[in-house]
Amino acid sequence: MAFIRRYLIPRLIQYVLVIFLGVTAVFIIPRLTPTDPIAHTIAQIRSQGAYLDPATVDQFIQDLKELYGLEGSMWDQYVALWRRLFRGDFGVSFFQFPTPVSVLVGRALPWTVGLLLTTTVMSWVLGNIIGGLAGYFSRKRWAQALDFTAMVIRPLPYYIFAFTLLLLLGYVVRLFPIAGGAEIGRRPEFSWPYIKSVLWHSFLPALSLTILGGTMWFQTMKLIVQNVNAESFVQYAKLGGVKESIIVSKYVIRNAMLPQVTALGLALGQIFSGALITEIVFSYPGLGTLLYNAVITGDYNLIMGITILSIVAITTAILALDLLYPLFDPRVRYR
Amino acid sequence: MNGTILRAEQLQAFYVLDMFGTRRVVKAVNGVNLEIRENEVYGIAGESGCGKTTLLKALYGAMDPPLRLIGGRVFYRVNGQDVDIFSLRPNELKQLRWEYISYVPQGSMSVLNPVIKIKETYRDFLESHVRGKTRDEIFEMAKEHIAALGLPPTVLEAYPHQLSGGMRQRVTIALAALLKPRIMIADEPTTALDVVVQRGVIQLLKGIQESLGNTIILVTHDMGVQANVADRIGIMYAGRIVEEASVEEIFGNPLHPYTWYLINSLPRFGDKGMRESVPGSPPSLITPPSGCPFHPRCPHTRPICREQMPSFFEPVAHHKVACWLMGEG
Ligand SMILES: Nc1ncnc2c1ncn2[C@@H]1O[C@H](COP(=O)(O)OP(=O)(O)O)[C@@H](O)[C@H]1O
Ligand SMILES: [Mg+2]
């Protein structure tokens, strides 16, 4: 079938190739930097005041080499890396020794994905609907008021915005908890009290992300709609006396959605990099915090694990987008 | 002679542009009088940029900024009564559209929504004007209409990009005829099409006009097409109609020097000589020349041409021309 041969196969090849190059880069880059992770780790332990005798150090170096997969020639290391990846083994974290990286990531992932998936989708839907209407009715008062509000919110640095929300709704009016992903001491379980606690705790971070994300989608959508509105097929439908409801939905929004679908795909891929600032401000457990800690402590295996995860996530999102896009735009056929 | 169906009186429509505080006014339609009759093809010809599209927009009542109605009126003859279209409320005007008067815009290649099938576009136009029909009945109407005009029924299932330029043009013309309007406006429907395809488009227009017995206002700068299709022709120059007569008179006895050049720039069969195109360049519509706007390019300029715009003379019955050369007999 032409679809498989001419459309699917090339994209799958591209997909595999990008991941391959990404992982290779993740392998090479740390080896090009002048810092030696082992020397770095030992120096860190020494700086904390521990005395290490030479024999211990030698043993330690050996252990670390094994830990980081630094044994043998470059080629051996590279092959070993792939072998481990195929087993889903990203090695063990050093600073939470001996927890495997996959366990740490697995623990943080539901928090991040739960929060970011919801907020990304929610802000996309809201921002596009409101932005679409504001773009179509851009001469109306309410549309200009919304536009002005967006212009005020948008340049605010996220952390200031997030802190303000936290202060207002967490400290001043104590409506929402100020930290954590759920009540401390509650065991994760599939029960209403636990879910309620999770929703309660995630409300502020979700609100901050939805407002700021929504504003971004709003502004882009409004601009796109204003451009589409000037297109000749929209003007023509108006001259033809086509009902306004049809023009808005089938002519303007439908066409304006196309670039936004692409952008949503990419935004969903980004989820797996976590939301560092949100997680820090709201002390929310997630991939961002995990990655931050990994960088601070020089936990190489953990950094590599998270980086590879985001590479796979983003390329997968792009692949999914490529495969789904022709459903939205008839001009792009499966060729 | 047939009655008047569309009348324009002293119509003025300018583009008023405000660029960084400086106002620029493009006098695209500058005092046009027209009386277009029932059951005729009225051709409007002239170099590009002389205001043809703008005139059509004004006749259609489509005045969107920066285009502004500066003066004059346009009347449609609806059910035996003259309707001043600029005094209508927006929804009254909207009701006339497509049912009474329809429009084939310039660049029809890009007026079809790229993400929906042709039949969906037909459905949207039908649904907005015809009440109480089911989806299937609507598609059935579209199918019959397309078939009656001799277009392949498969076009309804196609997306615009899957059709050739000529087919898209025909689809748009057919769409304009959908509700059997009394007046159809077509802006350069044959431009950018090759000759063979042009013939199909012209045939379609003529066929529609004959079967509906309605009026078509056909704009094209192509005098060859005008000779083929039009019953009467108005020659437009710098926002004004400068000559108007039947097609035979225009081609057999052109009175305005500009018309003469337009006709003589046409290639003729067996004639290998150089074609004589209009000398000089088109006038600015922001600062049009004084007097007769054609005087800077006219080989017969007299002093009065620089000072005063000539009004219409009618040296031959039903043949009007705005030129001082005619005025003195
Ligand atoms: N949207 C617009 N804004 C400003 N000027 C315009 C616009 N559209 C057309 N014009 C100007 O108005 C004049 C007449 O244009 P047009 O009616 O399109 O002429 P034609 O159809 O005969 O080629 C031209 O000088 C053109 O530059
Ligand atoms: Mg034009």
Side-chain angles (χ1 to χ4, degrees):
Chain A
M1 225 174 80
F3 160 69
I4 294 181
R5 199 163 38 85
R6 310 243 307 266
Y7 195 87
L8 188 62
I9 303 265
R11 275 163 184 77
L12 282 178
I13 292 177
Q14 193 184 351
Y15 174 70
V16 171
L17 198 68
V18 170
I19 291 182
F20 170 78
L21 290 176
V23 170
T24 307
V26 167
F27 172 81
I28 292 175
I29 290 170
R31 285 166 176 77
L32 291 182
T33 52
T35 44
D36 172 358
I38 294 177
H40 178 74
T41 310
I42 292 175
Q44 253 188 337
I45 292 173
R46 282 213 173 106
S47 71
Q48 284 158 9
Y51 171 74
L52 301 170
D53 66 67
T56 322
V57 170
D58 278 348
Q59 179 58 42
F60 209 58
I61 289 176
Q62 203 44 49
D63 288 350
L64 283 175
K65 274 196 167 169
E66 202 179 308
L67 184 63
Y68 289 140
L70 293 175
E71 289 165 307
S73 68
M74 279 287 229
W75 178 245
D76 290 340
Q77 294 176 20
Y78 185 62
V79 173
L81 172 69
W82 277 109
R83 206 170 279 145
R84 285 196 291 128
L85 288 185
F86 274 116
R87 274 186 271 119
D89 175 8
F90 292 85
V92 293
S93 158
F94 185 70
F95 276 87
Q96 298 195 39
F97 194 79
T99 325
V101 164
S102 52
V103 170
L104 286 177
V105 170
R107 218 181 270 157
L109 203 56
W111 292 105
T112 296
V113 171
L115 177 67
L116 293 186
L117 191 64
T118 324
T119 55
T120 306
V121 171
M122 215 155 62
S123 56
W124 187 80
V125 171
L126 289 177
N128 279 318
I129 292 177
I130 303 174
L133 291 174
Y136 188 80
F137 297 105
S138 58
R139 300 228 179 102
K140 294 261 159 77
R141 264 278 181 69
W142 58 265
Q144 284 166 356
L146 278 175
D147 200 30
F148 180 77
T149 317
M151 273 189 336
V152 173
I153 295 182
R154 186 69 195 288
L156 288 180
Y158 173 73
Y159 54 91
I160 291 184
F161 181 72
F163 263 123
T164 314
L165 271 186
L166 187 66
L167 280 176
L168 283 180
L169 300 179
Y171 284 102
V172 180
V173 193
R174 291 170 183 262
L175 275 179
F176 295 98
I178 54 166
E183 260 170 83
I184 297 165
R186 242 186 219 288
R187 293 187 51 71
E189 56 184 7
F190 199 73
S191 69
W192 176 235
Y194 183 72
I195 294 176
K196 206 168 74 179
S197 168
V198 168
L199 290 180
W200 198 237
H201 278 75
S202 61
F203 188 86
L204 279 186
L207 184 68
S208 71
L209 287 170
T210 307
I211 292 183
L212 233 59
T215 312
M216 193 267 296
W217 293 116
F218 169 89
Q219 287 189 319
T220 3
M221 187 60 174
K222 182 167 177 279
L223 264 183
I224 300 173
V225 162
Q226 281 176 309
N227 283 330
V228 173
N229 212 2
E231 294 264 359
S232 41
F233 59 86
V234 176
Q235 296 303 319
Y236 176 62
K238 285 183 184 169
L239 290 183
V242 174
K243 282 188 198 141
E244 189 144 50
S245 56
I246 299 181
I247 296 185
V248 174
S249 57
K250 209 164 161 184
Y251 288 69
V252 178
I253 305 276
R254 179 89 173 264
N255 277 281
M257 285 307 289
L258 299 176
Q260 297 292 72
V261 168
T262 310
L264 174 67
L266 297 180
L268 288 178
Q270 295 282 348
I271 286 180
F272 294 87
S273 326
L276 178 60
I277 301 177
T278 318
E279 292 174 14
I280 290 177
V281 171
F282 297 100
S283 317
Y284 189 86
L287 273 181
T289 323
L290 192 64
L291 180 61
Y292 175 75
N293 288 332
V295 171
I296 293 289
T297 55
D299 197 335
Y300 286 82
N301 281 350
L302 192 48
I303 296 175
M304 259 173 62
I306 297 176
T307 313
I308 290 174
L309 178 69
S310 351
I311 291 173
V312 173
I314 291 175
T315 34
T316 308
I318 292 174
L319 177 70
L321 208 62
D322 261 358
L323 295 182
L324 293 178
Y325 192 76
L327 296 180
F328 300 101
D329 190 346
R331 284 165 296 185
V332 184
R333 292 276 98 181
Y334 294 114
R335 256 181 302 226
Chain B
M1 197 196 295
N2 291 319
T4 301
I5 193 163
L6 183 149
R7 191 154 50 97
E9 285 176 0
Q10 283 304 324
L11 190 60
Q12 282 183 308
F14 297 173
Y15 293 97
V16 181
L17 308 166
D18 195 3
M19 282 166 84
F20 306 110
T22 41
R23 239 164 85 107
R24 303 211 316 165
V25 178
V26 183
K27 302 186 181 94
V29 172
N30 200 358
V32 166
N33 292 296
L34 280 177
E35 279 193 18
I36 295 174
R37 299 174 195 150
E38 277 169 14
N39 197 9
E40 75 168 346
V41 177
Y42 187 91
I44 298 174
E47 287 167 306
S48 92
C50 70
K52 302 183 296 295
T53 298
T54 314
L55 174 59
L56 291 188
K57 281 188 201 163
L59 294 181
Y60 194 69
M63 309 292 285
D64 288 319
L67 182 60
R68 272 208 236 157
L69 180 72
I70 303 298
R73 299 203 283 179
V74 172
F75 296 96
Y76 296 166
R77 188 92 184 152
V78 185
N79 299 326
Q81 291 200 312
D82 274 351
V83 175
D84 176 353
I85 65 163
F86 295 119
S87 70
L88 292 179
R89 272 176 276 132
N91 64 323
E92 289 173 324
L93 192 58
K94 201 167 167 178
Q95 262 181 355
L96 289 177
R97 289 187 173 166
W98 241 249
E99 292 169 51
Y100 178 81
I101 183 166
S102 65
Y103 193 9
V104 180
Q106 185 163 12
S108 279
M109 314 284 161
S110 58
V111 299
L112 298 165
N113 186 346
V115 297
I116 60 177
K117 290 182 176 173
I118 303 295
K119 67 171 181 188
E120 288 293 327
T121 299
Y122 272 68
R123 176 176 152 208
D124 296 339
F125 277 74
L126 276 170
E127 259 183 5
S128 303
H129 296 283
V130 182
R131 279 164 192 279
K133 288 263 195 282
T134 67
R135 205 182 123 106
D136 286 342
E137 285 170 336
I138 293 251
F139 282 146
E140 201 48 47
M141 284 172 77
K143 225 182 273 174
E144 280 167 20
H145 178 73
I146 285 277
L149 294 181
L151 270 71
T154 46
V155 296
L156 285 175
E157 293 296 330
Y159 287 100
H161 72 275
Q162 294 169 325
L163 302 176
S164 67
M167 190 50 81
R168 260 181 279 174
Q169 184 70 63
R170 292 207 277 163
V171 162
T172 334
I173 292 174
L175 186 56
L178 190 57
L179 300 174
K180 307 191 172 22
R182 297 315 306 150
I183 308 175
M184 282 170 68
I185 289 176
D187 196 355
E188 307 270 10
T190 57
T191 309
L193 297 177
D194 65 56
V195 183
V196 181
V197 183
Q198 272 191 12
R199 200 175 306 148
V201 168
I202 291 172
Q203 226 85 67
L204 180 63
L205 272 174
K206 274 184 165 172
I208 289 171
Q209 198 273 330
E210 273 159 30
S211 70
L212 295 183
N214 64 0
T215 300
I216 293 185
I217 305 174
L218 173 70
V219 157
T220 170
H221 65 268
D222 185 335
M223 291 302 282
V225 173
Q226 293 287 12
N228 238 312
V229 190
D231 298 315
R232 287 196 303 146
I233 293 180
I235 304 289
M236 196 164 178
Y237 189 80
R240 299 167 196 271
I241 300 286
V242 294
E243 181 165 8
E244 182 191 86
S246 68
V247 68
E248 297 81 12
E249 271 287 310
I250 287 282
F251 283 91
N253 180 26
L255 296 179
H256 199 288
Y258 178 62
T259 311
W260 188 87
Y261 279 115
L262 278 187
I263 293 167
N264 278 276
S265 59
L266 271 181
R268 237 165 303 178
F269 193 69
D271 180 355
K272 294 207 179 65
M274 281 288 284
R275 307 268 42 96
E276 208 167 339
S277 59
V278 195
S281 50
S284 153
L285 296 184
I286 297 174
T287 50
S290 62
C292 168
F294 189 60
H295 86 254
R297 302 166 79 183
C298 184
H300 313 292
T301 310
R302 299 174 183 187
I304 189 166
C305 299
R306 297 193 182 89
E307 284 148 27
Q308 244 183 43
M309 176 67 201
S311 52
F312 270 124
F313 302 105
E314 203 167 329
V316 181
H318 307 303
H319 189 156
K320 291 192 269 187
V321 61
C323 176
W324 286 121
L325 297 176
M326 296 301 130
E328 289 149 344

